[in-house]
Amino acid sequence: MELSNKELGQYLKAVREGLGYSIYDVNKLCDISPSYLSLMENGKRRPSAIILKKLAPIYSLDYIKLYEKAGYIDLIEDEKVQELKGSVSLKELFKDTVPLLRYSKSRI
């Protein structure tokens, strides 16, 4: 569900205000300039994926869901793959598979 710049800005502003943070509080917590935050919240600037990832923990949000709201669909799949790689080893992922033996034609 991709939101327009204005809708995304309103959403981010509502979350920030709901947490009781000012734009300057957020600036101190994640080093995003107040002017950039203001432009985002007013729908005049679309936040980059990096900015959304910085805001997510401060706003207690899942950054993957923020990516979805911002329309970064291609990044969502990349992030899910990275999470899978980080949480499950390949050995664990393939533990129930049976290995196939390789035979060359000369061995048959």
Side-chain angles (χ1 to χ4, degrees):
M1 170 182 80
E2 183 177 348
L3 302 176
S4 69
N5 285 358
K6 186 173 184 169
E7 292 168 326
L8 183 59
Q10 289 171 341
Y11 172 74
L12 292 172
K13 183 176 183 174
V15 171
R16 177 182 58 75
E17 289 177 342
L19 293 168
Y21 291 141
S22 71
I23 284 181
Y24 297 101
D25 294 332
V26 175
N27 166 254
K28 290 175 191 170
L29 291 168
C30 65
D31 201 31
I32 299 172
S33 77
S35 60
Y36 188 97
L37 289 165
S38 179
L39 287 171
M40 277 185 344
E41 290 183 357
N42 290 310
K44 295 185 182 204
R45 179 141 194 189
R46 188 155 206 83
S48 70
I50 293 168
I51 295 297
L52 293 175
K53 203 166 188 178
K54 282 183 172 185
L55 289 174
I58 292 162
Y59 290 178
S60 299
L61 299 171
D62 178 9
Y63 73 93
I64 297 288
K65 290 186 181 178
L66 281 179
Y67 282 5
E68 184 179 351
K69 289 180 185 302
Y72 295 121
I73 302 301
D74 54 336
L75 293 177
I76 293 171
E77 290 305 315
D78 292 344
E79 292 290 334
K80 285 181 180 176
V81 167
Q82 291 303 322
E83 284 179 5
L84 180 62
K85 285 181 181 177
S87 64
V88 179
S89 70
L90 288 178
K91 186 176 182 180
E92 181 67 23
L93 191 60
F94 294 106
K95 73 178 181 183
D96 296 326
T97 61
V98 177
L100 297 175
L101 300 174
R102 237 186 200 174
Y103 291 101
S104 66
K105 290 181 181 178
S106 62
R107 295 178 82 189
I108 299 179

